Amino acid sequence: MSRISGFFALAGLAIAGSAFIHPSPTEKNITLEVTLNSCQGVSTVLYLYEFNGVGFRQVQNVPIAEGKAVFIMPVSSPKFYYVGTNENNLKPLILGSEEEVKFSASCLQLRNGQFISSSLNSQYEQLREKINQLRASSNQLAQQYRAASGDATKMADMEEQMKKIDDRKLRLLDSLKNVNPYFYQVAALNTYLSFQNYGKGYENELVYFAKEYFKFVDWKNRDYDYLPWVYEAWKSYAETITNTGLQKDKHKALIDEALSAIPSDSRTYQLALGGVVALLQSKNHANYIPYARDFIERYQAAEPQAAERMKAEVTRMEAFVEGGTAPDFKQLTPEGKEFGLSDLRGQVVLIDFWASWCGPCRRENPNVVKMYNNYKEKGFTILGVSLDNDRNRWVSAIEADGLTWHHISDLKQWQNSAAQLYGVRSIPHTILIDREGKILARNLRGPALEAKLAEIFGE
């Protein structure tokens, strides 16, 4: 599981339209005063944005005059906004309940700025730091627990330490419940308790995770409508579900069930769905298409630019998901001969993106060798595509791991043309192709790959 810690670094997302707010002179307003330096040659305008689940919507823009920019906003319940010179240089902040918020920063790097006058934002930054510390401790203990597998004494010690972190999370949550309900909602999104201590009664950790990840969240609370943490929490949830390698129907069923707890007509749902779509797109997962289409159908009227970009991405992705025709490519073998995917037409092919320097790839190789030996006489083969940049290391790894199938590479590491063609962003990454060149599945490994090959070859 991973979340953007700290500043919701959503760089690269485009502005999705603009909706300028003009406060009424008769209503009570709040003032955001930003003191700036190093702005010459950077910007003459400062922008205030909100995040809508796919990009940044411009709320206001004001000129930078004599090192200051002043925004006037109507008083409201607390909401997250972003202030910056552009959508890639932002500082998140909470506005709504304080009459005056003062902030000082460099135009070169807004996110490192400091709040001069805003107890709400200062308290939020302290809360964010506590959340990040607890998450880091949980992740470290989870890694140590996996490393201790088989050692009952060490595992028991890790479970005891996990319980202490769980207790700290619960105390933090409880301390906010009545004192600051808004921060309570933030903490609730970040309170996931260990399976080792709270998973009794669940058949496995995946079921526990799917049911309990959002245990403390009340999705009907409208504070979530403007909390970017919702987007991040759903990216994290979808990433963990995706990394388990589930069949796409089971994968979608788990995400659908979790989403069903959110009122479908709420802005919270838009943030959550946006997080799911972003994660599945980054993973090139087949379920990106149905979720992206759902987002387009629901929000194309309100977010036309985002919908158009998503439509174009869906069209591109359709060629790379189950049932689509796998694009052909050719590269050189270790012997310097050109060889490509189309040369294997008529066989079931596993395209295996890997590299000699990739530890997880090398650890997975014995399983791939086993699958190859089991099915090579039945029409199954493998095309290894290496993301190496050193021919000698590539060839040595092939020999050391006993990889006796077809191998090609252009020795351009992450710039490998086939990896870019297929949108490969991490390795190992596999794509299973049928005899007609249609994609059967992506990213199958271990038991999931074994089960799929058994299904294909009738065992």
Side-chain angles (χ1 to χ4, degrees):
M1 292 175 284
S2 65
R3 290 181 181 168
I4 297 173
S5 61
F7 295 101
F8 305 112
L10 304 167
L13 294 170
I15 298 172
S18 61
F20 295 97
I21 295 176
H22 299 282
S24 166
T26 60
E27 64 184 10
K28 192 173 184 180
N29 298 322
I30 60 173
T31 301
L32 168 63
E33 181 181 295
V34 185
T35 302
L36 297 158
N37 59 64
S38 304
C39 293
Q40 188 172 359
V42 177
S43 180
T44 60
V45 178
L46 199 63
Y47 300 91
L48 192 68
Y49 304 98
E50 65 180 22
F51 181 64
N52 61 12
V54 289
F56 292 102
R57 179 188 295 280
Q58 191 183 128
V59 177
Q60 280 190 28
N61 67 70
V62 298
I64 300 171
E66 298 182 355
K68 288 187 183 295
V70 179
F71 298 91
I72 306 296
M73 297 284 290
V75 169
S76 67
S77 58
K79 294 179 183 178
F80 264 91
Y81 293 92
Y82 299 81
V83 63
T85 56
N86 57 62
E87 67 270 23
N88 297 312
N89 180 26
L90 300 171
K91 173 74 172 183
L93 72 165
I94 304 168
L95 297 176
S97 59
E98 295 178 310
E99 291 186 12
E100 183 179 64
V101 174
K102 291 185 177 182
F103 173 70
S104 176
S106 165
C107 276
L108 297 173
Q109 201 165 31
L110 265 293
R111 74 175 191 174
N112 289 339
Q114 300 294 321
F115 289 100
I116 300 169
S117 170
S118 175
S119 60
L120 183 66
N121 282 282
S122 296
Q123 290 169 22
Y124 166 70
E125 293 195 334
Q126 293 172 15
L127 173 62
R128 186 197 65 217
E129 183 62 28
K130 290 179 182 178
I131 289 171
N132 289 339
Q133 289 174 356
L134 288 170
R135 183 185 304 120
S137 297
S138 292
N139 290 342
Q140 183 179 18
L141 286 171
Q143 291 174 3
Q144 292 174 352
Y145 187 84
R146 289 192 293 270
S149 180
D151 187 326
T153 301
K154 285 185 177 180
M155 291 175 73
D157 179 58
M158 291 299 104
E159 289 176 8
E160 185 177 339
Q161 292 186 52
M162 288 177 177
K163 182 63 167 61
K164 291 179 180 178
I165 298 299
D166 291 336
D167 290 345
R168 287 174 59 191
K169 291 178 181 179
L170 290 172
R171 285 197 298 271
L172 176 61
L173 193 63
D174 187 61
S175 72
L176 296 167
K177 192 165 189 177
N178 296 318
V179 176
N180 195 320
Y182 185 71
F183 286 169
Y184 175 88
Q185 311 311 329
V186 174
L189 280 168
N190 290 277
T191 304
Y192 173 68
L193 306 178
S194 64
F195 169 72
Q196 289 76 10
N197 288 290
Y198 289 88
K200 292 180 180 178
Y202 288 91
E203 56 185 294
N204 56 52
E205 189 166 1
L206 173 61
V207 176
Y208 171 77
F209 175 87
K211 296 287 188 182
E212 299 291 332
Y213 189 71
F214 296 116
K215 176 179 180 178
F216 298 98
V217 178
D218 175 9
W219 290 118
K220 295 181 177 63
N221 190 304
R222 301 312 295 264
D223 283 340
Y224 288 117
D225 284 351
Y226 290 89
L227 270 180
W229 284 98
V230 171
Y231 172 89
E232 292 301 326
W234 277 91
K235 279 184 67 178
S236 179
Y237 180 85
E239 181 175 28
T240 299
I241 297 296
T242 300
N243 287 345
T244 60
L246 292 170
Q247 297 277 342
K248 70 172 187 177
D249 290 346
K250 176 64 173 174
H251 173 273
K252 189 171 186 301
L254 288 179
I255 295 176
D256 282 349
E257 183 178 356
L259 281 171
S260 69
I262 307 175
S264 60
D265 60 348
S266 68
R267 195 176 185 279
T268 302
Y269 194 94
Q270 182 175 338
L271 292 174
L273 185 57
V276 171
V277 168
L279 186 283
L280 297 183
Q281 180 182 356
S282 73
K283 297 286 188 180
N284 290 304
H285 195 280
N287 280 334
Y288 165 76
I289 290 179
Y291 285 114
R293 284 176 173 161
D294 185 23
F295 194 99
I296 292 166
E297 183 178 348
R298 288 173 181 271
Y299 306 118
Q300 60 184 343
E303 312 290 350
Q305 294 179 9
E308 285 304 311
R309 290 195 302 274
M310 207 170 284
K311 285 178 183 177
E313 182 63 19
V314 167
T315 299
R316 187 191 72 81
M317 283 281 288
E318 282 178 326
F320 298 94
V321 298
E322 294 178 23
T325 299
D328 191 25
F329 58 90
K330 292 182 181 292
Q331 292 182 10
L332 297 181
T333 67
E335 296 74 29
K337 296 181 180 180
E338 190 175 76
F339 191 86
L341 179 62
S342 58
D343 294 315
L344 299 173
R345 185 61 58 85
Q347 300 180 74
V348 175
V349 182
L350 182 74
I351 306 174
D352 183 18
F353 291 95
W354 74 296
S356 65
W357 45 261
C358 169
C361 303
R362 303 293 295 273
R363 290 192 291 272
E364 176 70 8
N365 276 341
N367 181 66
V368 183
V369 169
K370 175 186 173 184
M371 295 300 99
Y372 178 68
N373 290 335
N374 284 349
Y375 296 105
K376 64 182 180 180
E377 302 300 329
K378 298 183 179 183
F380 173 64
T381 192
I382 300 173
L383 179 59
V385 182
S386 171
L387 272 63
D388 276 284
N389 61 3
D390 184 307
R391 180 186 177 280
N392 291 333
R393 290 186 62 184
W394 172 35
V395 173
S396 295
I398 292 172
E399 294 175 353
D401 292 1
L403 314 181
T404 58
W405 46 79
H406 304 281
H407 293 276
I408 59 175
S409 181
D410 59 12
L411 297 177
K412 294 182 180 179
Q413 208 165 30
W414 287 108
Q415 300 306 310
N416 182 287
S417 59
Q420 292 192 331
L421 177 65
Y422 279 83
V424 174
R425 295 180 175 88
S426 62
I427 54 175
H429 189 104
T430 61
I431 303 169
L432 190 63
I433 313 295
D434 71 10
R435 292 180 173 86
E436 287 72 46
K438 302 287 188 182
I439 296 175
L440 291 171
R442 292 189 70 132
N443 225 19
L444 294 180
R445 295 194 294 274
L449 174 60
E450 186 173 1
K452 187 65 177 179
L453 291 176
E455 174 189 325
I456 292 170
F457 295 106
E459 293 191 1

